[in-house]
Amino acid sequence: MNFSWKEYQARVNNEFVDTIGNFFYRTLHFAANKMGGIPDLDAEPQVLEAIKSTIAQLDKAVGEYEFKAAVEAVLALGNTANTYIQTNAPWKLMKTDENAARQTIRNCLQFVKALTILLDGIMPVKAQEAWELLGYKGKVADCRLSEALTGFDH
C-alpha cells in the first residue's frame, strides 16, 4: 500500500475544497440569487450519463476495496462538473439566453446532488452540510447511490 497522510491532506485541500467546494458554492449561490432556487427542468442526458458512469466506477472500486480508485472517481466527476460550469458560463448566458442559463444551473445542481451523495462515504460531515444546503431534511447517508440520478422532489 502506497499511502501518505501528507499527500492525502494536500489532495483533500486542493481537489475537494478548491475544485468541488468552489463548484458547490458557485452553483448554489447562482441558483439562489439569480434563479430563486432550483429551475423546474430535468437534468440533461449527458449529465445523468456522467453521473451513472461515476456510480459504476465507484461501485466497482468499493467492491474491490480500492479506496483510492473510489476517491479518484468522485474527484473526476467533480472535475467534470467544474469544467461544465466553466465552459457553459451561466453568468454570461443570463445576458443572452436565460433559458440556457437555467438549464446549465439545473445540470450543475444535479452534479451537486450526485457529488453530495457520493462524498458521504469520504467526507460525511461536509456531505451532510451540502445535503441540507440543497434543502433536504433527512440524512444523506440514508440515500441510495441511484438517488444521485433523480430530481429534486423534497
Side-chain angles (χ1 to χ4, degrees), residues 8 16 58 62 67-68 70-71 74 113-128 139-143 145:
Y8 178 76
F16 281 114
L58 181 68
V62 169
F67 182 72
K68 184 177 180 189
V71 171
V74 177
K113 181 180 181 184
L115 285 162
T116 298
I117 292 169
L118 299 177
L119 283 169
D120 183 57
I122 301 165
M123 301 174 72
V125 173
K126 291 299 179 190
Q128 185 61 39
K139 300 236 182 260
V140 68
D142 294 338
C143 292
L145 291 180

Side-chain angles (χ1 to χ4, degrees), residues 93-137:
L93 285 173
M94 281 299 285
K95 298 172 188 167
T96 59
D97 188 347
E98 189 174 333
N99 288 334
R102 294 177 66 73
Q103 184 65 62
T104 296
I105 289 300
R106 175 57 183 83
N107 290 338
C108 288
L109 287 164
Q110 192 69 46
F111 279 127
V112 169
K113 181 180 181 184
L115 285 162
T116 298
I117 292 169
L118 299 177
L119 283 169
D120 183 57
I122 301 165
M123 301 174 72
V125 173
K126 291 299 179 190
Q128 185 61 39
E129 289 173 9
W131 192 244
E132 292 168 10
L133 287 172
L134 286 169
Y136 290 101
K137 304 264 187 263

Side-chain angles (χ1 to χ4, degrees), residues 37-69:
I38 299 166
D40 191 20
L41 300 164
D42 292 329
E44 292 180 308
Q46 72 270 21
V47 171
L48 297 175
E49 194 52 47
I51 295 166
K52 196 180 299 184
S53 174
T54 300
I55 291 170
Q57 292 170 43
L58 181 68
D59 193 44
K60 181 179 186 292
V62 169
E64 295 173 355
Y65 302 100
E66 293 289 339
F67 182 72
K68 184 177 180 189

